[in-house]
Amino acid sequence: MSLEIDFIDETNEIGEEELQTIERLLNFAAEKEKVDQGSEVSITFVTNERIQEINKEYRDKDQPTDVISFALEETSEGERELLGSDMPRILGDIIISVQRTREQAEEYGHSELRELGFLAVHGFLHLLGYDHMTEKDEVVMFGRQREILDEFGLKR
C-alpha cells in the first residue's frame, strides 16, 4: 500500500469492510495518479450537521454537502524540496457526510459503498489539484473519477 490513510469515523456507522475497500480504492487511485509512496491523507466521516458547520465556516455556504477536501500542500515545487525528500507527503483531509452518502446512493440507485467510493475518490482528486470550476475541468475530473471507479470495479 502506497498511502498512509488515517480514518476517523465520528458517526460510528462505517464498517471495517467499507474502510478496507476505501483504503484499497484510494491506493489504486494513488497508483494511477503516481502519488509518492508513503503520502498521507485523512478521511473523516461526519454527520450532516457537522459537515454543514464546516461548509459554513470554510466555504461560507450554510448547508450540508457530501464531501469537502482540504489540501495541505499549497506550496511550489521549490518549497517542497526544502522540506527534504525523507518527509512524508501530507496531501490533506477529506470529510464525508455519511447521511448524504446514504441519501445520494438511494437517489442514484446504486450501493452505499459505490457512493462512498465515489466521494472518497472525488475528495482525493481535489487533494491532487483536480477541480471542476470550469466545464473543461469538470469533464477532465469527472472522467478521471469514472475511470478509476470502473477499473477498480465500483461501477454504478
Side-chain angles (χ1 to χ4, degrees), residues 3 8-9 22-23 26 41 43 53 56 58 60 73 76 81 86-87 89 110 115 119 134 137 152 154 156:
L3 285 178
I8 303 148
D9 183 5
I22 298 304
E23 185 171 11
L26 289 187
V41 64
I43 300 181
E53 289 169 12
K56 184 177 181 187
Y58 293 97
D60 218 19
E73 255 187 26
S76 70
E81 287 167 17
D86 297 343
M87 298 290 290
R89 182 175 173 200
H110 54 233
E115 188 62 22
L119 295 173
T134 68
D137 289 345
F152 183 78
L154 266 185
R156 283 184 92 160

Coordinates of all heavy atoms in Angstrom, one line a residue, residues 3 8-9 22-23 26 41 43 53 56 58 60 73 76 81 86-87 89 110 115 119 134 137 152 154 156:
L3 N -0.3 4.5 0.3 CA -0.8 5.6 1.1 C -0.9 5.3 2.5 O -1.2 4.1 2.9 CB -2.2 6.0 0.6 CG -2.4 6.8 -0.7 CD1 -3.9 7.0 -0.9 CD2 -1.7 8.1 -0.7
I8 N -11.1 8.5 10.5 CA -11.8 9.0 11.7 C -13.3 8.9 11.4 O -13.8 9.6 10.5 CB -11.4 10.4 12.0 CG1 -9.8 10.5 12.2 CG2 -12.1 10.9 13.3 CD1 -9.3 11.8 11.8
D9 N -14.0 8.0 12.2 CA -15.4 7.9 12.0 C -16.2 8.5 13.2 O -16.4 7.8 14.2 CB -15.8 6.4 11.8 CG -17.3 6.2 11.5 OD1 -18.0 7.2 11.3 OD2 -17.7 5.0 11.4
I22 N -12.4 1.3 0.8 CA -11.9 2.6 0.6 C -10.4 2.7 0.6 O -9.8 3.4 -0.3 CB -12.6 3.6 1.6 CG1 -14.1 3.6 1.5 CG2 -12.0 5.1 1.4 CD1 -14.7 3.9 0.1
E23 N -9.8 2.1 1.5 CA -8.3 2.1 1.5 C -7.7 1.5 0.3 O -6.8 2.1 -0.3 CB -7.8 1.3 2.8 CG -6.3 1.4 2.9 CD -5.9 0.8 4.3 OE1 -6.7 0.1 5.0 OE2 -4.7 1.0 4.6
L26 N -8.4 4.0 -2.7 CA -7.6 5.2 -2.8 C -6.1 4.8 -3.1 O -5.4 5.6 -3.7 CB -7.7 6.0 -1.5 CG -9.0 6.7 -1.3 CD1 -8.9 7.6 0.0 CD2 -9.4 7.5 -2.5
V41 N -3.0 10.9 4.0 CA -4.3 11.5 3.8 C -5.2 11.1 5.0 O -5.0 10.0 5.5 CB -5.0 11.1 2.4 CG1 -5.3 9.7 2.4 CG2 -6.2 11.9 2.2
I43 N -9.3 10.7 6.3 CA -10.7 10.7 5.9 C -11.5 10.7 7.1 O -11.4 9.8 8.0 CB -11.0 9.5 5.0 CG1 -10.2 9.5 3.7 CG2 -12.5 9.5 4.6 CD1 -10.4 8.4 2.8
E53 N -21.6 22.7 9.4 CA -20.8 23.7 10.1 C -19.4 24.0 9.4 O -19.0 25.1 9.3 CB -20.4 23.1 11.5 CG -21.6 23.0 12.5 CD -21.2 22.2 13.7 OE1 -20.0 21.9 13.9 OE2 -22.1 21.8 14.5
K56 N -20.0 26.0 6.2 CA -20.3 27.4 6.5 C -19.0 28.1 6.9 O -18.8 29.2 6.5 CB -21.3 27.5 7.7 CG -21.8 28.9 8.0 CD -22.8 29.0 9.1 CE -23.2 30.4 9.3 NZ -24.1 30.6 10.4
Y58 N -15.8 27.4 6.3 CA -14.7 27.5 5.4 C -15.1 27.9 4.0 O -14.3 28.3 3.2 CB -13.9 26.1 5.3 CG -13.2 25.8 6.6 CD1 -13.7 25.0 7.5 CD2 -12.0 26.4 6.8 CE1 -13.1 24.8 8.7 CE2 -11.3 26.2 8.0 CZ -11.8 25.3 9.0 OH -11.2 25.1 10.1
D60 N -18.4 29.4 3.4 CA -19.5 30.4 3.5 C -20.8 29.9 2.9 O -21.5 30.7 2.4 CB -19.0 31.7 2.9 CG -19.5 32.9 3.7 OD1 -19.9 32.7 4.9 OD2 -19.6 34.0 3.2
E73 N -0.9 20.7 0.9 CA 0.2 21.1 0.1 C -0.1 22.2 -0.9 O -0.6 21.9 -2.0 CB 0.8 19.9 -0.6 CG 2.0 19.5 0.1 CD 2.7 18.4 -0.7 OE1 2.6 18.3 -2.0 OE2 3.4 17.6 -0.1
S76 N 4.9 25.6 -3.8 CA 5.5 25.4 -5.1 C 6.5 24.3 -5.0 O 6.9 23.9 -3.9 CB 6.2 26.7 -5.6 OG 7.4 26.9 -4.8
E81 N 10.8 21.0 -1.9 CA 12.2 20.3 -1.9 C 12.9 20.7 -0.6 O 13.7 20.0 -0.1 CB 13.0 20.7 -3.1 CG 12.4 19.9 -4.3 CD 13.0 20.5 -5.6 OE1 14.0 21.2 -5.6 OE2 12.4 20.2 -6.7
D86 N 12.8 13.0 2.6 CA 12.5 12.0 3.6 C 11.2 12.2 4.3 O 10.7 11.3 4.9 CB 13.6 11.9 4.7 CG 15.0 11.6 4.1 OD1 15.0 11.0 3.0 OD2 16.0 11.8 4.8
M87 N 10.7 13.4 4.2 CA 9.4 13.8 4.9 C 8.3 13.1 4.1 O 8.3 13.2 2.9 CB 9.2 15.3 4.9 CG 10.3 16.0 5.7 SD 10.1 15.8 7.5 CE 8.6 16.6 7.8
R89 N 4.8 13.0 2.4 CA 4.0 14.0 1.7 C 2.6 14.0 2.3 O 1.9 12.9 2.2 CB 4.0 13.7 0.2 CG 3.2 14.8 -0.5 CD 3.4 14.5 -2.0 NE 2.5 15.4 -2.7 CZ 2.0 15.3 -3.9 NH1 2.4 14.2 -4.6 NH2 1.2 16.1 -4.5
H110 N -27.6 3.2 -6.6 CA -26.5 2.3 -6.5 C -26.2 2.1 -5.0 O -26.8 2.7 -4.2 CB -25.3 2.7 -7.3 CG -24.8 4.1 -7.1 ND1 -24.6 5.1 -8.0 CD2 -24.5 4.8 -5.9 CE1 -24.2 6.2 -7.5 NE2 -24.1 6.0 -6.2
E115 N -21.2 4.9 -3.6 CA -21.3 6.3 -3.4 C -20.1 6.7 -2.5 O -19.5 7.8 -2.7 CB -22.6 6.7 -2.8 CG -22.9 8.2 -2.6 CD -22.9 8.9 -4.0 OE1 -23.2 8.3 -5.0 OE2 -22.7 10.1 -3.9
L119 N -17.3 9.4 -3.5 CA -17.0 10.6 -2.7 C -15.5 10.6 -2.3 O -14.9 11.7 -2.3 CB -17.9 10.8 -1.5 CG -19.4 11.0 -1.9 CD1 -20.3 11.0 -0.7 CD2 -19.6 12.3 -2.7
T134 N -14.6 25.0 -14.0 CA -15.0 25.2 -15.3 C -15.5 24.0 -16.0 O -15.2 22.9 -15.5 CB -13.8 25.7 -16.2 OG1 -12.9 24.6 -16.3 CG2 -13.1 26.9 -15.5
D137 N -12.6 21.7 -16.9 CA -12.0 21.0 -15.8 C -12.9 19.9 -15.3 O -12.5 18.8 -14.8 CB -11.7 22.0 -14.7 CG -10.5 22.9 -15.0 OD1 -9.8 22.6 -15.9 OD2 -10.4 23.9 -14.3
F152 N -11.4 -0.1 -10.9 CA -11.4 -0.7 -9.6 C -12.5 -1.7 -9.4 O -12.4 -2.7 -8.7 CB -11.5 0.4 -8.5 CG -11.3 -0.2 -7.1 CD1 -10.1 -0.6 -6.6 CD2 -12.4 -0.4 -6.3 CE1 -10.0 -1.1 -5.3 CE2 -12.3 -0.9 -5.0 CZ -11.1 -1.2 -4.5
L154 N -16.0 -0.6 -9.0 CA -17.1 0.0 -8.3 C -17.9 0.8 -9.3 O -18.0 2.0 -9.3 CB -16.6 1.0 -7.2 CG -16.5 0.5 -5.8 CD1 -16.1 1.6 -4.8 CD2 -17.7 -0.2 -5.3
R156 N -21.5 1.9 -11.4 CA -22.8 2.4 -11.0 C -23.8 1.3 -11.1 O -23.9 0.5 -11.9 CB -23.2 3.6 -11.8 CG -22.5 4.8 -11.3 CD -23.0 6.0 -12.0 NE -24.1 6.6 -11.2 CZ -24.6 7.8 -11.4 NH1 -24.0 8.6 -12.2 NH2 -25.6 8.3 -10.7

